[in-house]
Structures are given as structure tokens and as C-alpha cells.
Amino acid sequence: KLIFTLSLLLGTTITISSNHWAMAWTGLEINTLAILPLISKSHHPRAIEAATKYFLVQATASALILFSSMTNAWHTGQWDLTQLTHPTSCLILTAALAMKLGLVPFHFWFPEVLQGTSLTTGLLLATAMKLPPITLLFLTSHSLDSTLLTIMAVLSAALGGWVGLNQTQIRKILAFSSIAHLGWMAIIISYNPKLTLLNFYLYSLVTAAVFLTLNATKTLKLSTLMTSWTKAPALNTVLLLTLLSLAGLPPLTGFLPKWFILQELTKQDMALPAVALSLLSLLSLFFYLRLAYCTTITLPPHTTNHMKQWRTNKPTGISIAILTTLSIILLPLAPMLLT
């Protein structure tokens, strides 16, 4: 585990700090190879299937990144990350990074892979593994096609909200929530890349709080979420607020990036995509409310024939406490970030 975690850190660091396309590609490959054993750790057929799907998709995306950088080098003689100027290369790179991240229409692998792994590995896949591709998007943002990114972003927000509505597996719900959030990040990358990074950091923070809380109560399905309140009532009450923060309701932390992004979009005369994203976030809000309802509002007697869980005296980890607190109270930072 230590070797794989260090490899993940190494791969991410190489990609983030590189100037040369070959180094960025190397970092992405190290990352992919380090996470594969963590996905397939349980040796369950589902986990093996998830690892295989993940490997095939990431290998394809890596090949496309290499192809786009080579095409660009062929035409311009430049291997520098920021000098990506050839239009075909920009198009291929956008598709490759969308595949790495799980943006629509390359999203099919992500819910399946997340469903096949444990919650902790799922957390890594939803947050840490998205940092290198987002950094590459950030570095090449000035040369990417903003129209294509806007279309993909609105479609991601729509599909993430729409398909998440009738899921009962919590990991799949969180996967579709991740796809919807990626839509918010992708739409603003061409206009204000720093907002994309801010959105990513806050999304990672809140998602980490949700995943770790669910991991503490050992909850994987909506039906077990209904009976998990007896295990740790205080933790479940805070989970309600964390989920609403993930949905982006004021006055919680999750509202901050959405507010900034909508403000920036209206400044750029993109009122229509801004309205579309705002309305599509209502779809996501529905399934977060459903999770929140199952977490704290459904008290017995209810119709699920599950055994009651014993209340655990095990104290909640300090990391969960810090993350949940941060994912609820960071909205007052807004004036500081604006200046």
C-alpha cells in the first residue's frame, strides 16, 4: 500500500510540475499503474472488471495525449505544454482529457469503476486521480476550443443529474454527482482557469467528507443508509449538511464555486449556458436531497426489512471532523477570494 500511495504521489507531482509533454504523459502512466492494484485489491470479480475497464480507458486516453502532443511537435517543433497551438492537437487533447476525467460523452467507465471498488479507493478515483488531468487542462486552457468544452460541460451537468436520479447504489450516485461537478469545472476553464481549480479543491474537500463518513458507517446502498442513523447519530446529522453542501446550497461551502462560476459566465455574455447549468443543478439537488432524506429524516418504523445497527462507541476520526466542518462553513471566505 505504501509503495502504491507513494507512486500515486510521485505520478501526480511529475504531471503537475512538468513542462514537457513526455514527462506529463509519464506521470499519468505512473498514476494509472499505481491505482490499478488498489482497485482490484478485494479480488472480487466486480473489482477485477472495474480495474480492467479503468486500465483500457486510461490507456486509450494516454495514447491520445501522446498522439496530440506528437502531432503538435510535428507541426510546430514544440514539446512545451503551454505551446499547444495546432488545432487538431487541441481537439484530440480535449477529447483525451475528457476521457481521463469522465466528462460526457466519455463518462461510461466512471460509475462502473466506482461501483466495483471500495469507498476509500473510490474517493481516490473521484478526487486525487482527477488532479493531473485538470492541471493539464489548466496549463493548456488558452488553446482549447471553448465551444466544445461548453457543450461537453452542459451535457455532463445534464447527464450527471438525470442518470443519478434513479440510482440506489451510493457509489454510483456519487459518480454521477462527480460527472455533474466536472461539467461546472469544464465550462469555465477557457475563461477563468483559477475558478476551475477553486471548484475542484472545494469539490474534493466536500466529497472526501462524504466518502469518509459513509466509510465510517459502512454504508453502500440507500437501504442501509436508512438504518445507519443508529450507528452514529451526530455523524449522520452532519452528513445531511455535507450532502447539501455538495448540492451547492447557500450558506454552505458548496455554494461558493457555483456562485463564482455563474458570475463569471454572465460577465462573459454566456447567460444561456449559465441558466442551463443552474437549472440542471436542480436535478443533482434532487438526488442529494434523497440521500439526505434517507440519512436523517427517515426514522422507524419504515418499510425496509433491515436489522437495526448497533451504535458504535468508536470515536469518529479527526479527519472526518475537520473535513465536514470545512465543507459547511467556508462560504465567508468569498470576499477574500474575490479580492
Side-chain angles (χ1 to χ4, degrees):
K1 258 190 186 174
L2 181 68
I3 291 172
F4 296 139
T5 316
L6 286 174
S7 302
L8 277 178
L9 283 170
L10 175 72
T12 307
T13 313
I14 288 175
T15 304
I16 290 171
S17 56
S18 61
N19 282 324
H20 196 286
W21 274 111
M23 284 306 287
W25 174 81
T26 310
L28 290 169
E29 285 298 293
I30 292 172
N31 256 1
T32 305
L33 293 174
I35 196 86
L36 283 172
L38 295 176
I39 297 175
S40 56
K41 188 176 62 184
S42 66
H43 298 299
H44 190 277
R46 266 235 179 113
I48 306 296
E49 183 189 338
T52 312
K53 282 177 181 169
Y54 185 78
F55 173 73
L56 291 172
V57 171
Q58 298 296 319
T60 312
S62 288
L64 282 175
I65 287 174
L66 209 52
F67 179 54
S68 83
S69 54
M70 280 173 74
T71 312
N72 187 60
W74 204 332
H75 285 279
T76 62
Q78 285 285 354
W79 278 101
D80 199 313
L81 277 180
T82 50
Q83 302 293 325
L84 192 80
T85 48
H86 193 256
T88 316
S89 297
C90 294
L91 209 61
I92 296 170
L93 182 80
T94 310
L97 289 177
M99 204 181 284
K100 280 248 173 232
L101 287 166
L103 271 170
V104 174
F106 308 107
H107 64 282
F108 297 102
W109 62 274
F110 190 56
E112 301 294 324
V113 171
L114 219 60
Q115 181 57 32
T117 63
S118 65
L119 280 166
T120 38
T121 314
L123 171 61
L124 276 178
L125 284 171
T127 55
M129 296 304 290
K130 297 227 156 102
L131 182 58
I134 282 194
T135 313
L136 290 181
L137 271 179
F138 180 81
L139 290 170
T140 54
S141 58
H142 53 84
S143 52
L144 296 175
D145 185 358
S146 55
T147 318
L148 177 67
L149 278 171
T150 305
I151 293 166
M152 283 163 84
V154 174
L155 284 175
S156 294
L159 193 124
W162 206 260
V163 186
L165 288 179
N166 76 352
Q167 301 294 335
T168 55
Q169 295 285 343
I170 291 174
R171 283 167 296 185
K172 274 200 173 166
I173 292 178
L174 289 170
F176 287 113
S177 123
S178 178
I179 291 168
H181 275 275
L182 279 170
W184 282 84
M185 292 175 218
I187 199 162
I188 203 72
I189 190 94
S190 310
Y191 306 103
N192 192 340
K194 285 182 182 169
L195 270 187
T196 298
L197 283 187
L198 173 73
N199 193 348
F200 177 71
Y201 295 146
L202 290 179
Y203 160 74
S204 301
L205 176 87
V206 183
T207 307
V210 171
F211 267 100
L212 291 174
T213 306
L214 292 169
N215 191 42
T217 54
K218 298 281 177 282
T219 311
L220 295 174
K221 302 198 289 290
L222 280 180
S223 51
T224 48
L225 189 62
M226 286 181 182
T227 53
S228 71
W229 69 275
T230 48
K231 270 189 177 178
L235 191 60
N236 264 21
T237 312
V238 178
L239 178 61
L240 164 80
L241 289 172
T242 318
L243 285 166
L244 294 181
S245 178
L246 199 54
L249 288 187
L252 304 165
T253 307
F255 178 61
L256 182 74
K258 284 192 163 64
W259 171 26
F260 282 1
I261 286 171
L262 290 175
Q263 191 180 355
E264 185 64 32
L265 285 175
T266 42
K267 276 185 198 165
Q268 302 285 350
D269 288 335
M270 290 181 64
L272 205 62
V275 170
L277 273 188
S278 316
L279 292 174
L280 289 168
S281 68
L282 290 174
L283 288 171
S284 307
L285 176 63
F286 176 80
F287 62 73
Y288 292 124
L289 280 174
R290 191 159 141 227
L291 278 173
Y293 182 81
C294 291
T295 310
T296 45
I297 306 167
T298 334
L299 296 182
H302 51 59
T303 50
T304 52
N305 50 2
H306 269 274
M307 295 289 285
K308 280 262 192 18
Q309 312 276 352
W310 282 96
R311 183 176 299 199
T312 50
N313 289 326
K314 202 169 65 176
T316 308
I318 188 80
S319 55
I320 298 181
I322 293 169
L323 286 169
T324 45
T325 311
L326 288 178
S327 57
I328 292 165
I329 60 160
L330 283 188
L331 189 65
L333 283 181
M336 189 182 83
L337 293 169
L338 277 171
T339 50

